[in-house]
Short mmCIF file of all heavy atoms in Angstrom, two decimals:
data_model
loop_
_atom_site.label_atom_id
_atom_site.label_comp_id
_atom_site.label_asym_id
_atom_site.label_seq_id
_atom_site.Cartn_x
_atom_site.Cartn_y
_atom_site.Cartn_z
N GLY A 1 -4.46 -4.55 18.75
CA GLY A 1 -3.41 -4.99 19.66
C GLY A 1 -2.65 -6.20 19.16
O GLY A 1 -1.48 -6.38 19.49
N GLY A 2 -3.30 -7.06 18.39
CA GLY A 2 -2.62 -8.23 17.86
C GLY A 2 -1.92 -7.89 16.56
O GLY A 2 -2.14 -6.84 15.97
N PRO A 3 -1.07 -8.81 16.06
CA PRO A 3 -0.39 -8.53 14.79
C PRO A 3 -1.37 -8.55 13.62
O PRO A 3 -2.31 -9.35 13.62
CB PRO A 3 0.63 -9.68 14.68
CG PRO A 3 0.06 -10.78 15.51
CD PRO A 3 -0.68 -10.11 16.62
N GLN A 4 -1.16 -7.68 12.66
CA GLN A 4 -1.94 -7.71 11.43
C GLN A 4 -1.35 -8.75 10.49
O GLN A 4 -0.13 -8.94 10.44
CB GLN A 4 -1.94 -6.34 10.77
CG GLN A 4 -2.86 -5.33 11.44
CD GLN A 4 -4.33 -5.70 11.29
OE1 GLN A 4 -4.75 -6.22 10.26
NE2 GLN A 4 -5.13 -5.43 12.31
N CYS A 5 -2.22 -9.44 9.77
CA CYS A 5 -1.79 -10.54 8.89
C CYS A 5 -2.19 -10.23 7.45
O CYS A 5 -3.22 -10.72 6.96
CB CYS A 5 -2.43 -11.85 9.33
SG CYS A 5 -2.09 -12.30 11.05
N PRO A 6 -1.40 -9.42 6.74
CA PRO A 6 -1.77 -9.09 5.35
C PRO A 6 -1.72 -10.32 4.46
O PRO A 6 -1.00 -11.27 4.72
CB PRO A 6 -0.69 -8.07 4.95
CG PRO A 6 0.46 -8.32 5.87
CD PRO A 6 -0.14 -8.78 7.16
N GLN A 7 -2.54 -10.26 3.40
CA GLN A 7 -2.54 -11.33 2.40
C GLN A 7 -1.49 -11.11 1.33
O GLN A 7 -0.98 -12.06 0.74
CB GLN A 7 -3.90 -11.39 1.70
CG GLN A 7 -4.90 -12.31 2.36
CD GLN A 7 -6.26 -12.17 1.69
OE1 GLN A 7 -6.99 -11.24 2.01
NE2 GLN A 7 -6.58 -13.04 0.78
N ALA A 8 -1.21 -9.84 1.06
CA ALA A 8 -0.26 -9.51 -0.01
C ALA A 8 0.81 -8.58 0.56
O ALA A 8 0.51 -7.66 1.31
CB ALA A 8 -0.97 -8.84 -1.19
N LEU A 9 2.06 -8.85 0.17
CA LEU A 9 3.20 -8.04 0.61
C LEU A 9 3.99 -7.61 -0.62
O LEU A 9 4.44 -8.45 -1.40
CB LEU A 9 4.09 -8.84 1.55
CG LEU A 9 5.43 -8.20 1.93
CD1 LEU A 9 5.22 -6.89 2.69
CD2 LEU A 9 6.28 -9.18 2.76
N ILE A 10 4.14 -6.30 -0.78
CA ILE A 10 4.95 -5.74 -1.87
C ILE A 10 6.17 -5.09 -1.24
O ILE A 10 6.04 -4.18 -0.41
CB ILE A 10 4.17 -4.70 -2.69
CG1 ILE A 10 2.88 -5.32 -3.25
CG2 ILE A 10 5.03 -4.13 -3.82
CD1 ILE A 10 1.91 -4.30 -3.83
N ILE A 11 7.36 -5.55 -1.61
CA ILE A 11 8.60 -4.99 -1.06
C ILE A 11 9.28 -4.17 -2.14
O ILE A 11 9.47 -4.61 -3.27
CB ILE A 11 9.54 -6.08 -0.54
CG1 ILE A 11 8.79 -7.07 0.36
CG2 ILE A 11 10.69 -5.46 0.24
CD1 ILE A 11 9.66 -8.18 0.94
N SER A 12 9.66 -2.95 -1.76
CA SER A 12 10.26 -1.98 -2.69
C SER A 12 11.60 -1.52 -2.14
O SER A 12 11.77 -1.40 -0.93
CB SER A 12 9.30 -0.79 -2.86
OG SER A 12 10.00 0.37 -3.23
N PRO A 13 12.57 -1.20 -3.02
CA PRO A 13 13.89 -0.81 -2.53
C PRO A 13 13.97 0.62 -2.00
O PRO A 13 14.88 0.92 -1.23
CB PRO A 13 14.79 -0.98 -3.76
CG PRO A 13 13.89 -0.81 -4.92
CD PRO A 13 12.57 -1.36 -4.49
N THR A 14 13.07 1.50 -2.40
CA THR A 14 13.18 2.90 -1.95
C THR A 14 11.86 3.38 -1.36
O THR A 14 10.77 2.90 -1.69
CB THR A 14 13.56 3.84 -3.11
OG1 THR A 14 12.48 3.93 -4.04
CG2 THR A 14 14.83 3.38 -3.81
N ARG A 15 11.97 4.38 -0.48
CA ARG A 15 10.79 4.95 0.16
C ARG A 15 9.86 5.59 -0.86
O ARG A 15 8.64 5.45 -0.79
CB ARG A 15 11.24 5.99 1.19
CG ARG A 15 12.14 5.45 2.28
CD ARG A 15 12.76 6.59 3.09
NE ARG A 15 13.66 6.10 4.11
CZ ARG A 15 14.33 6.89 4.95
NH1 ARG A 15 14.19 8.21 4.85
NH2 ARG A 15 15.13 6.39 5.86
N GLU A 16 10.47 6.31 -1.81
CA GLU A 16 9.66 7.03 -2.79
C GLU A 16 8.86 6.06 -3.67
O GLU A 16 7.69 6.31 -3.98
CB GLU A 16 10.56 7.91 -3.66
CG GLU A 16 11.10 9.14 -2.95
CD GLU A 16 12.20 8.83 -1.93
OE1 GLU A 16 12.87 7.78 -2.06
OE2 GLU A 16 12.39 9.65 -1.01
N LEU A 17 9.48 4.95 -4.06
CA LEU A 17 8.77 3.98 -4.88
C LEU A 17 7.68 3.28 -4.06
O LEU A 17 6.59 3.01 -4.57
CB LEU A 17 9.75 2.95 -5.46
CG LEU A 17 9.16 1.90 -6.40
CD1 LEU A 17 8.36 2.54 -7.53
CD2 LEU A 17 10.26 1.00 -6.96
N ALA A 18 7.95 3.00 -2.80
CA ALA A 18 6.93 2.39 -1.94
C ALA A 18 5.69 3.29 -1.86
O ALA A 18 4.56 2.82 -1.97
CB ALA A 18 7.49 2.14 -0.54
N CYS A 19 5.90 4.60 -1.69
CA CYS A 19 4.77 5.54 -1.64
C CYS A 19 4.01 5.57 -2.95
O CYS A 19 2.77 5.64 -2.97
CB CYS A 19 5.27 6.94 -1.29
SG CYS A 19 5.89 7.10 0.39
N GLN A 20 4.73 5.49 -4.05
CA GLN A 20 4.09 5.52 -5.37
C GLN A 20 3.23 4.28 -5.59
O GLN A 20 2.09 4.37 -6.08
CB GLN A 20 5.17 5.61 -6.45
CG GLN A 20 4.63 5.76 -7.86
CD GLN A 20 5.76 6.04 -8.85
OE1 GLN A 20 6.33 7.11 -8.86
NE2 GLN A 20 6.10 5.05 -9.66
N ILE A 21 3.75 3.11 -5.22
CA ILE A 21 2.97 1.87 -5.35
C ILE A 21 1.73 1.94 -4.46
O ILE A 21 0.63 1.54 -4.86
CB ILE A 21 3.84 0.65 -4.98
CG1 ILE A 21 5.00 0.49 -5.97
CG2 ILE A 21 2.99 -0.63 -4.96
CD1 ILE A 21 6.06 -0.50 -5.51
N TYR A 22 1.91 2.45 -3.25
CA TYR A 22 0.79 2.60 -2.31
C TYR A 22 -0.31 3.46 -2.92
O TYR A 22 -1.50 3.12 -2.85
CB TYR A 22 1.31 3.20 -1.00
CG TYR A 22 0.23 3.74 -0.09
CD1 TYR A 22 -0.65 2.89 0.57
CD2 TYR A 22 0.10 5.12 0.12
CE1 TYR A 22 -1.63 3.40 1.41
CE2 TYR A 22 -0.88 5.62 0.96
CZ TYR A 22 -1.75 4.76 1.60
OH TYR A 22 -2.72 5.26 2.42
N ASN A 23 0.06 4.57 -3.54
CA ASN A 23 -0.95 5.46 -4.13
C ASN A 23 -1.65 4.80 -5.31
O ASN A 23 -2.85 5.01 -5.53
CB ASN A 23 -0.30 6.78 -4.54
CG ASN A 23 -0.03 7.68 -3.35
OD1 ASN A 23 -0.82 7.73 -2.41
ND2 ASN A 23 1.10 8.38 -3.36
N GLU A 24 -0.91 3.99 -6.09
CA GLU A 24 -1.55 3.23 -7.17
C GLU A 24 -2.54 2.22 -6.60
O GLU A 24 -3.65 2.04 -7.12
CB GLU A 24 -0.49 2.51 -8.01
CG GLU A 24 0.32 3.41 -8.92
CD GLU A 24 -0.53 3.97 -10.06
OE1 GLU A 24 -0.87 3.20 -10.98
OE2 GLU A 24 -0.86 5.17 -10.02
N ALA A 25 -2.16 1.55 -5.51
CA ALA A 25 -3.05 0.57 -4.89
C ALA A 25 -4.29 1.25 -4.32
O ALA A 25 -5.41 0.73 -4.42
CB ALA A 25 -2.29 -0.18 -3.80
N ARG A 26 -4.12 2.43 -3.71
CA ARG A 26 -5.27 3.20 -3.20
C ARG A 26 -6.23 3.52 -4.33
O ARG A 26 -7.45 3.45 -4.18
CB ARG A 26 -4.79 4.51 -2.56
CG ARG A 26 -4.31 4.41 -1.16
CD ARG A 26 -4.26 5.79 -0.48
NE ARG A 26 -3.79 6.86 -1.34
CZ ARG A 26 -4.47 7.98 -1.56
NH1 ARG A 26 -5.64 8.18 -1.02
NH2 ARG A 26 -3.96 8.93 -2.33
N LYS A 27 -5.67 3.90 -5.47
CA LYS A 27 -6.48 4.28 -6.62
C LYS A 27 -7.31 3.09 -7.13
O LYS A 27 -8.53 3.20 -7.30
CB LYS A 27 -5.56 4.82 -7.73
CG LYS A 27 -6.28 5.16 -9.02
CD LYS A 27 -5.31 5.80 -10.01
CE LYS A 27 -4.33 4.81 -10.59
NZ LYS A 27 -3.46 5.41 -11.62
N PHE A 28 -6.64 1.97 -7.35
CA PHE A 28 -7.34 0.82 -7.91
C PHE A 28 -8.34 0.21 -6.92
O PHE A 28 -9.32 -0.40 -7.33
CB PHE A 28 -6.35 -0.24 -8.39
CG PHE A 28 -5.56 0.16 -9.60
CD1 PHE A 28 -4.18 -0.02 -9.63
CD2 PHE A 28 -6.17 0.72 -10.70
CE1 PHE A 28 -3.44 0.35 -10.75
CE2 PHE A 28 -5.45 1.10 -11.81
CZ PHE A 28 -4.07 0.91 -11.83
N SER A 29 -8.07 0.34 -5.61
CA SER A 29 -8.96 -0.25 -4.61
C SER A 29 -10.00 0.74 -4.10
O SER A 29 -10.72 0.45 -3.13
CB SER A 29 -8.14 -0.79 -3.43
OG SER A 29 -7.44 0.25 -2.78
N TYR A 30 -10.10 1.90 -4.74
CA TYR A 30 -11.05 2.93 -4.35
C TYR A 30 -12.47 2.35 -4.30
O TYR A 30 -12.91 1.64 -5.21
CB TYR A 30 -10.98 4.08 -5.36
CG TYR A 30 -11.88 5.26 -5.09
CD1 TYR A 30 -11.69 6.06 -3.97
CD2 TYR A 30 -12.91 5.59 -5.96
CE1 TYR A 30 -12.50 7.16 -3.72
CE2 TYR A 30 -13.73 6.70 -5.74
CZ TYR A 30 -13.52 7.47 -4.62
OH TYR A 30 -14.33 8.55 -4.38
N GLU A 31 -13.16 2.61 -3.20
CA GLU A 31 -14.53 2.13 -2.95
C GLU A 31 -14.63 0.61 -2.89
O GLU A 31 -15.65 0.02 -3.24
CB GLU A 31 -15.51 2.71 -3.98
CG GLU A 31 -15.67 4.23 -3.86
CD GLU A 31 -16.80 4.79 -4.69
OE1 GLU A 31 -17.16 4.17 -5.71
OE2 GLU A 31 -17.34 5.85 -4.31
N THR A 32 -13.55 -0.04 -2.45
CA THR A 32 -13.60 -1.46 -2.12
C THR A 32 -13.22 -1.60 -0.64
O THR A 32 -12.84 -0.63 0.02
CB THR A 32 -12.63 -2.31 -2.96
OG1 THR A 32 -11.27 -2.07 -2.52
CG2 THR A 32 -12.76 -1.99 -4.44
N ILE A 33 -13.29 -2.84 -0.13
CA ILE A 33 -12.96 -3.07 1.29
C ILE A 33 -11.49 -3.43 1.47
O ILE A 33 -11.07 -3.74 2.59
CB ILE A 33 -13.86 -4.16 1.89
CG1 ILE A 33 -13.72 -5.47 1.11
CG2 ILE A 33 -15.31 -3.70 1.93
CD1 ILE A 33 -14.47 -6.64 1.75
N VAL A 34 -10.70 -3.41 0.42
CA VAL A 34 -9.27 -3.73 0.53
C VAL A 34 -8.56 -2.60 1.27
O VAL A 34 -8.62 -1.44 0.86
CB VAL A 34 -8.63 -3.94 -0.86
CG1 VAL A 34 -7.13 -4.17 -0.73
CG2 VAL A 34 -9.28 -5.11 -1.58
N LYS A 35 -7.90 -2.93 2.37
CA LYS A 35 -7.15 -1.95 3.16
C LYS A 35 -5.67 -2.04 2.81
O LYS A 35 -5.05 -3.10 3.00
CB LYS A 35 -7.37 -2.18 4.66
CG LYS A 35 -8.78 -1.90 5.12
CD LYS A 35 -8.92 -2.09 6.63
CE LYS A 35 -10.33 -1.76 7.10
NZ LYS A 35 -10.47 -1.97 8.56
N THR A 36 -5.13 -0.94 2.31
CA THR A 36 -3.73 -0.88 1.91
C THR A 36 -2.97 0.02 2.87
O THR A 36 -3.45 1.10 3.23
CB THR A 36 -3.59 -0.33 0.47
OG1 THR A 36 -4.32 -1.18 -0.41
CG2 THR A 36 -2.14 -0.29 0.04
N VAL A 37 -1.79 -0.43 3.30
CA VAL A 37 -0.94 0.35 4.20
C VAL A 37 0.47 0.36 3.63
O VAL A 37 0.91 -0.61 3.02
CB VAL A 37 -0.93 -0.24 5.63
CG1 VAL A 37 -0.03 0.58 6.56
CG2 VAL A 37 -2.34 -0.32 6.20
N VAL A 38 1.19 1.48 3.85
CA VAL A 38 2.59 1.58 3.44
C VAL A 38 3.44 1.86 4.67
O VAL A 38 3.06 2.66 5.53
CB VAL A 38 2.79 2.67 2.36
CG1 VAL A 38 2.41 4.05 2.86
CG2 VAL A 38 4.24 2.66 1.85
N VAL A 39 4.58 1.18 4.78
CA VAL A 39 5.53 1.44 5.87
C VAL A 39 6.93 1.59 5.29
O VAL A 39 7.35 0.81 4.44
CB VAL A 39 5.49 0.34 6.96
CG1 VAL A 39 4.11 0.26 7.59
CG2 VAL A 39 5.89 -1.03 6.42
N TYR A 40 7.63 2.61 5.76
CA TYR A 40 8.98 2.89 5.27
C TYR A 40 9.71 3.74 6.29
O TYR A 40 9.09 4.33 7.20
CB TYR A 40 8.94 3.57 3.90
CG TYR A 40 8.12 4.84 3.85
CD1 TYR A 40 8.70 6.09 4.01
CD2 TYR A 40 6.74 4.79 3.63
CE1 TYR A 40 7.94 7.26 3.96
CE2 TYR A 40 5.97 5.95 3.59
CZ TYR A 40 6.59 7.17 3.75
OH TYR A 40 5.83 8.32 3.72
N GLY A 41 11.01 3.82 6.18
CA GLY A 41 11.83 4.54 7.14
C GLY A 41 11.70 6.05 7.02
O GLY A 41 11.17 6.57 6.05
#
């Protein structure tokens, strides 16, 4: 219910690139506790 406070913010100009960066982050953080989220229009 409260706002989420991420430690790292990556801003991308396009939706497709944002999704690609998100998938790379998912890959590298696999089996860790780092939670990655992507938001785009």
Side-chain angles (χ1 to χ4, degrees):
Q4 284 293 324
C5 303
Q7 270 173 278
L9 171 63
I10 303 168
I11 311 181
S12 154
T14 68
R15 301 169 182 180
E16 287 73 24
L17 183 53
C19 291
Q20 184 172 289
I21 296 168
Y22 165 70
N23 284 323
E24 287 291 288
R26 278 197 321 126
K27 176 175 73 176
F28 291 132
S29 62
Y30 182 65
E31 294 190 333
T32 73
I33 58 174
V34 176
K35 293 182 178 179
T36 302
V37 180
V38 61
V39 298
Y40 55 95

